[in-house]
Amino acid sequence: MRRIVGAILVVLGALLLGLGLLAKPYLYPRLATVPLDQDSTSISEGKNMSVLYPHVKNGAAAIDALKGVDVKSTRTVIGIPGKVAEQDLQSSTAFWQTQVKSEANVGGKWVPLSYSDEGVSFDRVSAEVTNCCGDYKSVGDLDNPKKTEQVTRSGHYFKFPFDTQQQDYDWWDGDLGKAVPIKFKQVEDLYGTQTYVFEQEIPKSQIASREVPASLFSTTGTGNVSAKVMYGNTRTLWVEPNTGVIIKGQEKVDKTLESSAGTVAMTVGTIGYNEATIEDNAKTWGSKGSLLGLIRGPLGWILGLLGVALLGLGAFLLLAGRRNAEQQAQHSTRSGDAAVDDTDRFFTEAEQTTRRRSDVDRG
């Protein structure tokens, strides 16, 4: 029985030792890779915001400046594997499409504010954009809302790298049209998940100029006026460090139109993931991140040491079983020898007894 148990422990120990040796160099790289077929939805909400509401009124384009309204943005992210497969890059690169629909609550009814559509290719491990596969952004308006154009990006867009460090990264800002540093600030817990908090401060500056209706600045205004598009933002991201996934995102946006006639808000206020999105992200990616961190970190040592221990115990039981079998064999041999000796002694004693009786009879 000892030999059977020992053999089982040796096999199990060898298996655990092998898994321990392969956990980080083999298993981790295959898990620390973003999926090609991503499918996710997040919802952001803002209270008491000021926004522009473009719409059609009486058959003509109109823009209203809304103040003190609630805003909701629904963002969907869909992976498109075919985009990278066309260039045989699927092993290293992903292409995700993101669509954002923003709405404002006007008089108890949600009305559309804007819609954006962007396609972004990025490295499946480092998460840096690669611009490999016809990356684009929407530039639509009321006349042609589905219009897009190609764009070249830099930095990070969807997420941070696996094994995110407490350091600065470059993060893409669509309004600026470039990546700027986002700085590590602190560690914070969200629903039991440890996150790294990063903050990107974008000082307000002019990013464009355009002709806009003078009626935006004054009810008596007519025609169009030239206005500067001014933009500033404080973007804060809470990141699960093992996966690089954003658990919570928030923006304090200050985007306005400035002209000789005055200033009007395009998007002004704070908007961020709602609590349901944050909690779901924390529970989903917190557990996945912990497992990934375990595989990258101590799991190899734990499995390796456990495997060595089982190998040692199994070998001991095998040797002990072999010694026991040898001892039993030796004992059986000695017992057989003793039986032979007893038989010889029986015949010897019987012969001696017969001789004594014969001597007595003669006497």
Side-chain angles (χ1 to χ4, degrees):
M1 183 65 179
R2 286 184 179 181
R3 297 180 69 180
I4 294 175
V5 174
I8 293 173
L9 291 180
V10 166
V11 173
L12 183 59
L15 178 63
L16 292 179
L17 181 59
L19 289 175
L21 293 174
L22 293 175
K24 187 172 182 179
Y26 182 83
L27 184 59
Y28 178 78
R30 283 156 179 76
L31 294 177
T33 305
V34 300
L36 296 173
D37 57 348
Q38 174 74 5
D39 187 353
S40 63
T41 300
S42 60
I43 297 177
S44 295
E45 297 175 349
K47 303 291 186 182
N48 195 32
M49 297 187 69
S50 297
V51 295
L52 290 183
Y53 171 37
H55 59 108
V56 177
K57 184 176 182 181
N58 297 326
I63 302 178
D64 294 338
L66 305 180
K67 295 182 179 180
V69 296
D70 292 343
V71 174
K72 177 175 65 176
S73 290
T74 303
R75 183 188 194 191
T76 59
V77 178
I78 303 294
I80 307 179
K83 282 282 190 177
V84 290
E86 291 173 357
Q87 302 187 43
D88 196 27
L89 294 173
Q90 61 270 29
S91 63
S92 62
T93 309
F95 187 95
W96 289 359
Q97 177 190 41
T98 176
Q99 298 175 324
V100 181
K101 178 184 178 182
S102 295
E103 302 169 288
N105 193 316
V106 180
K109 180 181 179 182
W110 290 99
V111 299
L113 294 177
S114 63
Y115 171 83
S116 68
D117 178 12
E118 300 192 54
V120 185
S121 60
F122 62 104
D123 188 274
R124 297 181 68 186
V125 177
S126 72
E128 291 187 79
V129 297
T130 59
N131 301 296
C132 73
C133 308
D135 296 34
Y136 68 91
K137 69 175 182 178
S138 59
V139 291
D141 51 26
L142 289 174
D143 295 327
N144 186 6
K146 294 185 178 181
K147 183 179 179 182
T148 64
E149 67 178 17
Q150 288 198 344
V151 60
T152 300
R153 300 181 179 89
S154 60
H156 294 79
Y157 186 95
F158 286 110
K159 63 184 293 294
F160 285 70
F162 288 93
D163 190 22
T164 299
Q165 300 298 304
Q166 297 180 4
Q167 65 182 45
D168 298 348
Y169 291 90
D170 288 333
W171 191 263
W172 177 260
D173 185 280
D175 285 285
L176 289 179
K178 65 179 181 180
V180 293
I182 187 166
K183 302 179 180 295
F184 171 79
K185 290 296 182 180
Q186 62 194 35
V187 176
E188 187 172 324
D189 182 272
L190 291 176
Y191 293 99
T193 295
Q194 185 187 78
T195 64
Y196 289 177
V197 184
F198 292 86
E199 187 176 88
Q200 183 186 57
E201 292 189 13
I202 301 174
K204 192 171 184 179
S205 62
Q206 181 180 351
I207 59 172
S209 61
R210 63 182 59 174
E211 294 291 312
V212 297
S215 58
L216 280 175
F217 303 95
S218 172
T219 56
T220 60
T222 59
N224 291 334
V225 296
S226 179
K228 299 177 181 178
V229 180
M230 306 296 293
Y231 170 72
N233 195 353
T234 299
R235 178 178 286 113
T236 308
L237 303 176
W238 287 255
V239 180
E240 197 290 310
N242 292 299
T243 61
V245 171
I246 297 171
I247 305 300
K248 175 182 177 182
Q250 176 182 284
E251 294 187 9
K252 295 181 180 179
V253 186
D254 186 6
K255 189 176 183 180
T256 58
L257 290 170
E258 295 185 3
S259 74
S260 58
T263 300
V264 65
M266 296 182 71
T267 304
V268 175
T270 300
I271 187 169
Y273 289 1
N274 63 10
E275 285 302 314
T277 298
I278 297 169
E279 183 176 5
D280 181 65
N281 286 343
K283 291 181 178 180
T284 299
W285 295 103
S287 58
K288 292 182 179 180
S290 297
L291 176 60
L292 200 59
L294 180 64
I295 294 173
R296 178 179 54 82
L299 182 63
W301 288 102
I302 294 173
L303 292 177
L305 292 175
L306 184 58
V308 170
L310 291 179
L311 280 172
L313 179 59
F316 171 77
L317 291 177
L318 283 173
L319 292 175
R322 179 177 296 178
R323 285 197 298 270
N324 185 51
E326 291 176 351
Q327 291 173 355
Q328 289 180 352
Q330 292 174 359
H331 177 72
S332 298
T333 301
R334 287 195 299 269
S335 297
D337 292 343
V340 172
D341 292 343
D342 289 342
T343 301
D344 291 342
R345 188 166 53 253
F346 171 79
F347 282 110
T348 301
E349 291 178 353
E351 183 180 357
Q352 291 176 352
T353 301
T354 301
R355 287 177 180 177
R356 284 196 297 270
R357 286 179 180 177
S358 298
D359 293 340
V360 169
D361 292 340
R362 292 191 191 100

